[in-house]
Amino acid sequence: MNINKSLLPLVNPLSKDNPVIVQVLGICSALAVTAKLEPAVVMTISVTAVLALANVIISLLRNTIPTSIRIIVQLVVVAALVVIVDQVLKAWNYEVSKALSVFIGLIITNCIIMGRLEAFAMSNRPWPSFLDGIGNGLGYGIILIIVGFFRELLGSGTLFGYQVIPQWCYDHGYQNNGMMILPPMALITVACIIWVHRSRNKDLQE
């Protein structure tokens, strides 16, 4: 399928160059916030918003940032955006904010964000940088949502906290798989996604 070259920064991170399953970045939060689907979705929105805005800001400032302090400037920009996101989240959904705990703050040092600022925003114009931020944020989020979907469904029988497995299943002996809500199962689920992705993309196989 032919894709407009200008859209590659948006499209590639969704699959071919996914930050989690191809570049293996952002794994820590992918394991930590996916026991339920709602925190995974909120984390996706938060990271995408911070990455897109940070990319644009750094791209606008790229010609005025001294090379010796560029990392410090990037951290300050990301930290300011994360504080805003954290305060909005606390006002909008305090329970989810508590569930995400320190992981919202750790967006500041998320290797996906710092990597895109350094590798893309510092050398590209604002619009491509914005698309790159959206693409990588969504690529990261797709994996979180897939993992969160299966972990909550199989581990708790719910989605977004609502019961989806009918009661008659439990009446006939069905039991939730408690192992799915444990951190090791997040790693195993991500590994399964990587396996399926690599099997369908032969060019990524070593």
Side-chain angles (χ1 to χ4, degrees):
M1 181 174 64
N2 293 324
I3 299 174
N4 189 316
K5 192 173 181 179
S6 64
L7 294 179
L8 289 179
L10 175 64
V11 175
N12 276 350
L14 300 180
S15 177
K16 185 178 180 181
D17 197 25
N18 187 278
V20 178
I21 60 176
V22 177
Q23 301 178 46
V24 196
L25 301 174
I27 290 290
C28 294
S29 55
L31 304 184
V33 303
T34 54
K36 300 288 184 181
L37 188 54
E38 186 176 12
V41 171
V42 173
M43 192 68 166
T44 296
I45 296 170
S46 301
V47 169
T48 302
V50 170
L51 181 51
L53 292 174
N55 261 11
V56 170
I57 294 171
I58 294 300
S59 177
L60 290 170
L61 298 175
R62 69 188 188 281
N63 294 324
T64 62
I65 301 175
T67 303
S68 59
I69 62 168
R70 69 186 189 283
I71 301 298
I72 297 174
V73 173
Q74 292 168 13
L75 285 171
V76 169
V77 169
V78 174
L81 292 172
V82 169
V83 168
I84 294 172
V85 167
D86 185 43
Q87 293 304 309
V88 169
L89 184 55
K90 285 179 179 177
W92 171 63
N93 194 329
Y94 186 69
E95 291 303 316
V96 173
S97 176
K98 286 199 302 181
L100 290 173
S101 184
V102 299
F103 295 103
I104 287 292
L106 288 177
I107 292 175
I108 297 171
T109 55
N110 190 308
C111 45
I112 296 174
I113 293 179
M114 297 308 297
R116 297 322 297 168
L117 293 179
E118 185 70 10
F120 198 92
M122 285 295 292
S123 56
N124 288 275
R125 296 173 65 83
W127 178 245
S129 297
F130 176 75
L131 293 180
D132 181 79
I134 295 292
N136 278 276
L138 292 179
Y140 164 83
I142 286 171
I143 305 305
L144 261 67
I145 290 171
I146 292 173
V147 175
F149 174 87
F150 285 107
R151 290 185 71 196
E152 182 175 359
L153 178 63
L154 300 178
S156 304
T158 61
L159 289 175
F160 289 107
Y162 295 99
Q163 192 70 36
V164 295
I165 296 180
Q167 183 59 42
W168 63 263
C169 291
Y170 295 99
D171 294 340
H172 286 78
Y174 178 82
Q175 293 186 359
N176 294 324
N177 185 348
M179 289 186 63
M180 288 300 295
I181 61 177
L182 299 178
M185 290 308 298
L187 184 60
I188 292 172
T189 305
V190 171
C192 290
I193 296 172
I194 293 174
W195 173 64
V196 172
H197 185 262
R198 294 290 173 91
S199 67
R200 295 177 60 88
N201 294 270
K202 304 298 184 182
D203 56 319
L204 295 176
Q205 298 179 10
E206 296 180 358

